[in-house]
Structure formats: structure tokens, C-alpha cells
């Protein structure tokens, strides 16, 4: 127990330090401020991703980005969600699950397409097994580009979606 | 492909197919993968290939199946991991095994039985609404719990069906294929450079391993020799990929055992690693750093110093955290004996990579068939005997320490010189394979190019194929609430197998 406490004390508080300073005018210029009073419950849907985008979605919860401190949190059911984070091109095998998840999310709801694939199908494109981007299946409010997009870009897109 | 990997092609007749594979089985060879290529444009039918790993290298048994040929003899009775591969082969290439499970594996409803997306003349399939035939377990008090494809957490989609009595799991049946996005067909539509980017995205958490394997195959076909400095930088990237994944998994495993501090601590270390990647390699996940002929990054002395310093900081941090994990009675109570895959079962199922090493099978390509620069590094293979979650945690800690040591070693011995061989003419028609020990286990890529340099066929294979079936066994007799922990201790790829 003592070792655990020592480790916690030794590391101290590292929360809130983001890597890149957002460019002036960028929606992420002051993400913490923008997020005040905006506390979305979010549900993530991997609609066919390579799993790279999931790695960065995971990072949102680490002590640096600490999105829970700004009131954003992940919930276990779409019925509890205000916002869907959707990654990947939408595979034909996930299309129905995505539509159902979207239907189960109560209105008003927002959708963020996370990553280049979610925007337009990316490297996988549309084909016999892929429908292409998320907007080809459900309405999208904001996008985070990148492959995978950095956590800052995902947070900025969430904030844009909430403002839309 | 590289000085050390010997690849033997063994064309066989239909009569020789099974005896040849039985002989490989008897000699202790391990199945790598099974795939087929459509050769109808060359006036032939399908060419079926089964690749095996044996002590000296890789052997590929090849069986020509003329149009209308009878089903080929199944091999899953010798190599159980082939069962799903055989089903996928039928779904994608229309090539049928004799007997065995006839249910589709990759194909859900987007195309019909008989449509073969990997045939050159495939022009889109007809949707098929037939529901999947799950296996039912009957008995007093037995009921089913079905979860997925969309899960509660941020993980990939798949469907799990538990047959339970009370909380105890009698049987688990997995249904994957949800993230099938047509990767193998997509390869044939892309130019080689874009195809390499696609290879890195077969399973994003293993981007370096897949890109390296793809490049080995392509370099073999083109006759490119990679400068020594580039092989060291590739290994540096691969070890950092291993470190990143192990850090993430160790944090998540602590969390799933109720130790949230572990998650916070390990995720902090992983973030530190990614930030240094961004600083030194220009990307948090340098997915496109490995290119044909070498690497697309350079390492400055300042960058090298930063990496070196981070390796030693991480070594100290993870050693401290390991002591905390080892001494934490609550966590050890959850880890020990949970999700057991005994060595004998692991061997029978053909389990591979990290999961195999945690069941006492000390195999690691960096030791067994070391490609440069690993041939000069004397890698220590981690292993543990327990076969439970505790063993998979221990192997991760050991491999983490070893990768941190290797990282330092690679930097100290980094040769000067070019980081990429000069650009080459397009590949002449040819066939090559690449084999790399990714963080989950052996990552394999087979590549075939046409005379104009375009890609005729590319078959990427993730080690998860061999370990998913073992997860079905690992949960038997444990309780449903232990599944997330056991599943995490395997941490298998969905995208890498759904393709
Ligand atoms: S955007 Fe990139 S990282 Fe994300 S799913 Fe697509 S290929 Fe993977």
C-alpha cells in the first residue's frame, strides 16, 4: 500500500497538459473553457476501423487529456448517450449495428466521425464490404481528421459537434 | 527477402497434399496460414497455399485446384487453427474444404454463398439474409448471454455467446467478421506505395510489424537490399510499438482487476512514449515510417538522446510498477488461475506469440529466425508456465523490460549510413513473403506482383487467428464477470482477422 501511495505522490498531478498548442482561431484554442457546462455522455462505435483510432480514443481518458475532468464521459449504452463517436469506414457487416445504435440514442444527438476512414472511407474506400464514410450511413455533425487523429483533434471535433 | 529467412515452395498433387502436411505436423512444424489465389486469367483455376514455420524457415505447400476440382482435403484435424481459415477461404475465394464446419465465417450477409470476392471476375455480391447457426447448449438451468457486436467499452466489434449456468461459463462461441472491409481485394486495386499504407492498417496497433512484413516481401521481389541503419531503425520502431501496446495492456489489466491506479500510471507512460514518437518520428503512431527499401525517418543525435533517456526512465518506472502489481494481493487474486490455457492445450490448438509464451511455449521469431538486426542482438525470449492471466501479465512485463533493453542497445549500436535504398524500377512479376515478430506474435505477409508491377494478390495474416479459438477454451469454468479480464489478457485483433 505504501508503495502505491509513494508512486502516486512521486508522479504528482500531470492532468491538463496537452501536447500541441492549438492554432489561434482553432476551435480547440481553449478546449477547457469551451467544455464548461458541456458535459456530453458519449458512446463509441467502431464501425470497421483498423483499431488505430481506438488507441487515440482510449488516450482521451489518460491523465493528460483527462476528458472526464471537463465533464465528458463514456457511457455503456447508446440509450444514455448524447453523442456518438464513430470510427472506421462503415463495413457492410456493421451498417445495421451502427443504424441501431444511432436509433437507440435519444434526440437531440450528435455524431462525430473520428479519423480519415470515418470521413470518407479513407484507404479502405467503399467496395463490396465497405459502405465508405459514416456520413454515407448516418448524419455527421463534426469530423476529426488524421490517421489516427490526435486526441486534441478528437476533443476539438466533439466540441464543434456540441456547438453545431 | 533477407539473408536469414529460407522459403521453400513445395508444389504437391492432390494425393500428396495431406501426407506432406501430416509429415510437417509430425516434425513439429507450425501452421502460419492458408490462402488461395485466382489463376483463371492464366488459364488455371485456384492455387491453394498453406504456409508452415519450421526450424529452418518457411515451407509453402501448394496445390493447384483446376476449375471444378473436388474439395481439397481439410487440414484442421491436424492444425485446429485452420478450421476458421478454411471457412474464410470458402467465403472469400470460393474454395471449399472436404468436410468440416460448413457455416460461413467472414461472410455475414453482404454477399451470398458462391459469390467469391477474391475472384478477379467478382463484380459485387447479392445480399444473403440467412441467419447464422449458433451452437445451442441445452440442459437444466442453462441459459445464453449474447453480447456485441457493439460493446460497452472502446473495443472492436465482435459477438460473443456465453452458455452459462448461474455465473459459470459452460461454453463460449465467438462470431467475428463484423469489421470485414475487403482488405485483400483492396490490395489489388492499389499501387505498391498505397498498398504498403494499407498493410500498416490491417491492424493499426501492429502497423510497424505489418508494414515491415509487407516491405520484406516486396524487397525480395525487387531484389532490394536494405541498408543496415534502416534495419536498426525498423527494429527501434517495432520495439516501441511493442512497448506502447504492453504499457496499454498492463494498465487495462490492472483496471479490469479493480486497480484503477494501474491504468492511470501505465496510460501516463504510454502517452509519454507517444509524445516522444511525435517529437522524434513526426507521428504519435509512426504507421508509415517503414517504406520499401528502408525507413522514411531519420534520427538526429538529439532525437537519439531523447529516446535513450526515455528508455531508461521507462525501465525504472515499469520496474516499480511491477513490484506494486506483484505485491497487490487483490490483483494477484484475480490474475492467478484465471483464464487458463495449459501448455498441452496450447500446443494442440497451435496457439502462438505472446499467449503461447505464457503457456510455456518459448517461441519468438526474434530468437528462432532472427532477421537483421535481431541476429546481432541476442534477444531473450520471455516465457511463463502458468497459462493464466497472471502468466500473460508476467510475460508482458518481461517483454517490456527486454524491449526497453533492446531499444537502448539498438541506439548504442546504430550504424551510420543511408536510411533507405535508392528507388527501384517497378517490381517485376514475382512472389515474396515477410515474417516479423509483432507484439502479439508472428505477422506474415505473402505478396504476388504482376509483370507490370501491380499487385496480383496480397495475403496478410495476423497471429490472432491462432489465439481466438484458445480464448473460447480459456473462459470455460470461469465466471462471466472474469471475461473482460481474460479477454484483455489475450488482447486479440478483430480487424487483423476480419480483414
Ligand atoms: S483513420 Fe487510420 S487509424 Fe483510423 S481507422 Fe482509418 S486507417 Fe485506422
Amino acid at each position: 500500500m505504501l508503495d502505491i501511495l509513494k508512486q502516486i505522490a512521486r508522479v504528482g498531478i500531470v492532468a491538463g497538459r496537452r501536447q500541441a498548442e492549438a492554432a489561434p482561431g482553432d476551435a480547440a484554442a481553449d478546449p477547457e473553457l469551451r467544455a464548461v457546462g458541456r458535459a456530453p455522455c458519449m458512446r463509441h462505435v467502431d464501425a470497421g476501423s483498423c483499431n488505430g483510432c481506438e488507441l487515440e480514443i482510449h488516450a482521451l481518458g489518460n491523465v493528460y487529456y483527462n476528458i472526464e475532468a471537463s465533464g465528458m464521459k463514456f457511457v455503456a449504452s447508446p440509450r444514455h448517450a448524447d453523442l456518438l463517436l464513430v470510427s472506421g469506414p462503415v463495413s457492410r457487416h456493421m451498417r445495421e449495428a451502427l443504424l441501431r445504435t444511432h436509433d437507440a440514442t435519444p434526440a437531440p444527438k450528435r455524431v462525430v466521425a473520428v479519423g480519415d476512414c470515418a470521413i470518407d472511407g479513407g484507404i479502405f474506400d467503399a467496395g463490396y464490404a465497405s459502405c465508405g464514410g459514416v456520413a454515407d450511413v448516418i448524419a455527421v455533425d463534426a469530423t476529426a481528421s488524421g490517421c489516427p487523429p490526435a486526441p486534441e483533434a478528437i476533443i476539438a471535433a466533439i466540441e464543434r459537434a456540441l456547438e453545431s | 527477402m533477407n539473408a536469414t529467412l529460407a522459403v521453400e515452395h513445395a508444389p504437391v498433387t492432390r494425393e500428396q497434399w495431406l501426407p506432406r502436411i501430416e509429415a510437417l505436423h509430425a516434425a513439429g512444424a507450425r501452421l502460419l496460414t492458408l490462402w488461395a489465389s485466382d489463376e483463371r486469367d492464366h488459364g488455371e483455376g485456384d492455387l491453394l497455399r498453406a504456409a508452415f514455420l519450421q526450424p529452418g524457415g518457411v515451407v509453402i505447400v501448394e496445390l493447384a485446384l483446376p476449375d471444378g476440382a473436388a474439395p481439397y482435403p481439410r487440414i484442421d484435424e491436424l492444425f485446429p487453427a485452420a478450421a476458421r481459415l478454411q471457412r474464410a477461404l470458402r467465403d472469400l475465394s470460393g474454395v471449399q474444404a472436404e468436410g468440416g464446419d460448413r457455416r460461413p465465417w467472414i461472410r455475414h450477409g453482404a454477399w451470398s454463398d458462391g459469390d467469391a470476392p477474391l475472384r478477379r471476375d467478382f463484380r459485387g455480391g447479392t445480399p444473403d439474409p440467412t441467419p447464422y447457426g449458433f451452437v445451442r447448449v441445452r440442459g437444466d438451468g442453462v441459459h445464453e448471454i449474447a453480447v456485441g457486436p457493439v460493446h460497452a467499452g472502446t473495443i472492436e466489434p465482435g459477438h460473443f455467446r456465453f452458455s452459462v449456468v448461474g455465473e459459470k461459463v459452460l461454453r463460449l462461441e465467438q462470431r467475428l467478421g463484423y469489421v470485414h472491409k475487403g482488405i485483400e481485394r483492396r490490395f489489388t486495386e492499389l499501387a505498391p506505395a498505397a498498398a504498403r499504407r494499407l498493410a500498416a492498417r490491417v491492424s493499426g496497433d501492429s502497423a510497424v510489424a505489418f508494414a515491415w512484413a509487407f516491405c520484406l516481401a516486396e524487397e525480395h521481389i525487387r531484389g532490394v537490399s536494405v541498408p543496415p541503419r534502416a534495419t536498426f531503425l525498423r527494429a527501434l520502431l517495432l520495439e516501441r510499438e511493442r512497448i506502447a501496446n504492453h504499457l496499454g495492456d498492463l494498465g487495462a489489466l490492472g483496471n479490469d482487476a479493480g486497480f484503477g491506479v494501474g491504468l492511470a500510471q501505465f496510460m501516463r507512460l504510454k502517452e509519454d512514449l507517444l509524445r516522444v514518437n511525435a517529437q522524434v518520428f513526426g507521428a504519435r503512431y509512426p504507421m508509415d515510417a517503414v517504406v520499401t527499401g528502408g525507413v522514411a525517418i531519420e534520427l538526429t543525435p538529439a532525437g537519439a538522446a531523447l529516446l535513450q533517456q526515455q528508455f531508461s526512465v521507462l525501465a525504472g518506472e515499469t520496474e516499480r510498477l511491477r513490484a506494486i502489481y506483484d505485491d497487490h494481493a487483490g490483483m494477484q487474486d484475480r490474475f492467478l488461475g484465471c483464464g487458463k490455457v495449459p501448455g498441452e492445450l496450447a500446443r494442440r490448438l497451435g496457439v502462438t506469440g505472446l499467449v503461447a509464451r505464457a503457456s510455456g511455449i518459448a517461441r519468438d521469431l526474434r530468437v528462432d529466425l532472427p532477421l537483421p538486426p535481431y541476429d546481432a542482438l541476442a534477444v531473450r525470449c520471455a516465457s511463463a508456465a502458468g497459462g493464466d492471466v497472471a502468466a500473460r501479465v508476467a510475460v508482458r512485463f518481461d517483454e517490456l523490460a527486454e524491449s526497453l533493453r533492446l531499444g537502448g542497445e539498438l541506439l548504442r549500436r546504430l550504424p551510420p549510413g543511408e536510411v533507405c535504398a535508392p528507388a527501384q524500377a517497378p517490381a517485376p512479376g514475382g512472389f515474396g513473403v515477410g515474417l516479423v515478430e509483432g507484439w502479439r506474435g508472428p505477422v506474415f505477409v505473402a505478396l504476388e506482383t504482376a509483370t507490370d508491377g501491380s499487385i496480383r494478390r496480397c495475403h496478410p495474416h495476423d497471429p490472432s487467428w491462432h489465439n481466438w479459438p484458445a480464448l473460447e477454451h480459456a473462459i470455460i469454468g470461469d465466471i462471466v464477470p472474469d471475461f473482460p479480464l481474460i479477454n484483455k489478457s489475450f488482447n486479440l485483433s478483430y480487424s487483423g482477422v476480419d480483414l
Side-chain angles (χ1 to χ4, degrees):
Chain A
M1 191 64 202
L2 195 58
D3 283 343
I4 301 173
L5 294 174
K6 267 198 222 153
Q7 172 74 6
I8 294 169
R10 206 179 52 76
V11 173
I13 294 169
V14 295
R17 288 185 223 145
R18 292 186 184 169
Q19 184 166 29
E21 283 302 318
D26 189 309
D30 192 353
E32 277 94 350
L33 258 188
R34 281 175 190 276
V36 168
R38 311 303 300 271
C41 289
M42 306 188 293
R43 182 87 167 99
H44 164 248
V45 182
D46 171 347
S49 123
C50 79
N51 81 28
C53 280
E54 282 59 48
L55 301 175
E56 291 296 38
I57 294 173
H58 272 294
L60 299 176
N62 76 31
V63 292
Y64 287 89
Y65 304 100
N66 199 15
I67 54 162
E68 296 219 350
S70 28
M72 300 177 180
K73 68 172 179 193
F74 285 101
V75 290
S77 164
R79 293 180 214 291
H80 306 158
D82 309 304
L83 183 146
L84 297 179
L85 286 183
V86 187
S87 56
V90 182
S91 76
R92 296 204 184 266
H93 293 166
M94 275 304 289
R95 186 173 178 275
E96 194 186 322
L98 175 61
L99 285 169
R100 283 200 200 166
T101 306
H102 189 247
D103 280 351
T105 310
K109 55 191 156 194
R110 294 287 181 269
V111 174
V112 175
V114 178
D116 291 349
C117 292
I119 295 175
D120 62 3
I123 186 105
F124 304 106
D125 207 1
Y128 78 92
S130 160
C131 307
V134 177
D136 293 317
V137 179
I138 55 174
V140 167
D141 300 290
T143 60
S145 62
C147 180
E152 288 91 348
I154 302 174
I155 294 171
I158 293 169
E159 287 159 354
R160 277 199 308 279
L162 292 174
E163 284 159 11
S164 69
Chain B
M1 93 212 28
N2 60 78
T4 50
L5 183 60
V7 178
E8 181 198 337
H9 289 263
V12 294
T13 62
R14 200 191 147 76
E15 290 65 42
Q16 294 165 334
W17 164 261
L18 215 49
R20 179 72 212 237
I21 291 173
E22 277 163 357
L24 283 162
H25 184 262
R30 291 189 292 159
L31 175 71
L32 277 171
T33 181
L34 188 66
W35 77 105
S37 323
D38 177 7
E39 303 292 332
R40 282 171 191 76
D41 59 336
H42 288 173
E44 288 153 39
D46 294 292
L47 183 60
L48 176 66
R49 290 185 168 106
F52 299 88
L53 191 60
Q54 53 182 8
V58 171
V59 56
I60 303 177
V61 183
E62 300 173 338
L63 175 63
L65 295 166
D67 239 344
Y72 65 92
R74 62 197 277 201
I75 63 168
D76 60 304
E77 286 160 319
L78 295 165
F79 295 97
R84 290 177 179 180
L85 290 164
Q86 288 171 178
R87 292 164 68 187
L89 245 172
R90 176 197 167 117
D91 293 345
L92 297 170
S93 295
V95 173
Q96 174 69 51
E98 204 173 61
D101 195 336
R102 304 293 277 236
R103 293 175 300 165
W105 179 248
I106 293 294
R107 182 177 69 83
H108 287 202
W111 66 98
S112 295
D113 194 11
D115 297 335
L118 293 183
R119 287 247 183 113
R120 284 172 218 287
D121 60 3
F122 176 79
R123 295 284 172 271
T126 353
D128 170 16
T130 317
Y132 186 70
F134 284 97
V135 176
R136 286 269 137 81
V137 176
R138 289 179 211 283
D140 229 13
V142 178
H143 71 279
E144 264 183 9
I145 305 173
V147 294
V150 180
H151 299 292
T154 298
I155 64 169
E156 295 180 80
H159 183 87
F160 298 113
R161 240 175 229 220
F162 300 93
S163 298
V164 300
V165 168
E167 286 209 311
K168 197 167 142 192
V169 178
L170 298 179
R171 189 173 194 280
L172 162 64
E173 183 171 0
Q174 299 155 355
R175 172 88 175 114
L176 304 180
Y178 289 93
V179 292
H180 175 69
K181 41 203 174 275
I183 289 179
E184 284 178 288
R185 186 170 181 91
R186 185 76 181 134
F187 269 117
T188 62
E189 300 166 351
L190 297 173
R196 195 216 336 112
R197 291 191 65 236
L198 179 61
R201 288 154 180 84
V202 165
S203 181
D205 55 19
S206 305
V208 175
F210 272 101
W212 193 350
F214 180 90
C215 288
L216 285 170
E218 208 195 352
E219 286 152 5
H220 171 75
I221 296 172
R222 291 197 188 191
V224 178
S225 63
V226 177
R229 185 177 177 83
T231 68
F232 273 68
L233 291 173
R234 285 177 173 185
L236 192 62
L237 292 163
L238 185 69
E239 295 311 318
R240 288 182 72 81
E241 183 166 275
R242 195 182 321 277
I243 294 165
N245 281 294
H246 284 2
L247 288 172
D249 283 353
L250 286 166
L253 283 160
N255 197 48
D256 281 342
F259 188 58
V261 177
L263 180 68
Q265 295 283 342
F266 276 108
M267 286 302 276
R268 167 181 67 88
L269 298 179
K270 182 172 178 179
E271 180 68 22
D272 290 341
L273 184 97
L274 300 178
R275 289 180 175 206
V276 168
N277 278 354
Q279 247 179 298
V280 176
F281 305 124
R284 287 163 59 85
Y285 288 97
M287 292 175 108
D288 300 312
V290 177
V291 296
T292 311
V295 290
I297 49 162
E298 191 31 307
L299 192 58
T300 61
L306 194 58
L307 293 176
Q308 193 66 274
Q309 192 220 349
Q310 184 173 56
F311 285 136
S312 69
V313 169
L314 285 176
E317 293 262 14
T318 52
E319 208 183 291
R320 257 194 301 278
L321 287 168
R322 182 174 200 168
I324 289 173
Y325 271 44
D326 285 348
D327 290 348
H328 195 286
M331 251 194 299
Q332 290 306 319
D333 189 46
R334 293 285 309 280
F335 290 170
L336 280 164
C338 183
K340 214 164 160 77
V341 183
E344 196 277 320
L345 176 67
R347 252 175 282 273
R348 191 153 48 79
L349 294 176
V351 163
T352 191
L354 187 153
V355 176
R357 291 192 285 275
S359 291
I361 305 171
R363 308 285 281 273
D364 185 322
L365 290 170
R366 296 174 300 164
V367 180
D368 304 336
L369 285 174
L371 77 166
Y374 291 107
D375 53 349
L377 288 174
V379 178
R380 291 190 284 257
C381 178
S383 95
D388 53 3
V389 173
R392 292 186 281 274
V393 168
V395 166
R396 280 183 172 86
F397 270 117
D398 285 343
E399 293 189 355
L400 190 52
E402 179 65 354
S403 289
L404 290 166
R405 179 187 78 80
L406 291 172
E409 197 68 11
L410 286 162
L411 289 169
R412 264 188 297 281
R413 295 162 60 172
L414 185 65
E418 296 301 316
V419 295
C420 197
Q424 298 274 321
F431 178 90
V433 307
L435 185 61
V436 170
E437 186 79 28
W439 69 271
R440 279 195 186 89
V443 160
F444 177 84
V445 171
L447 178 68
E448 216 182 322
T449 54
T451 42
D452 64 358
S454 66
I455 292 175
R456 263 182 76 72
R457 181 79 171 93
C458 181
H459 174 70
H461 183 84
D462 190 275
S464 303
W465 276 105
H466 305 263
N467 294 350
W468 274 114
L471 179 61
E472 287 185 342
H473 289 264
I475 181 71
I476 294 174
D478 282 317
I479 57 173
V480 178
D482 271 337
F483 184 70
L485 177 68
I486 299 170
N487 190 24
K488 193 73 217 178
S489 75
F490 278 69
N491 194 8
L492 304 174
S493 179
Y494 298 64
S495 181
V497 299
D498 286 354
L499 296 175

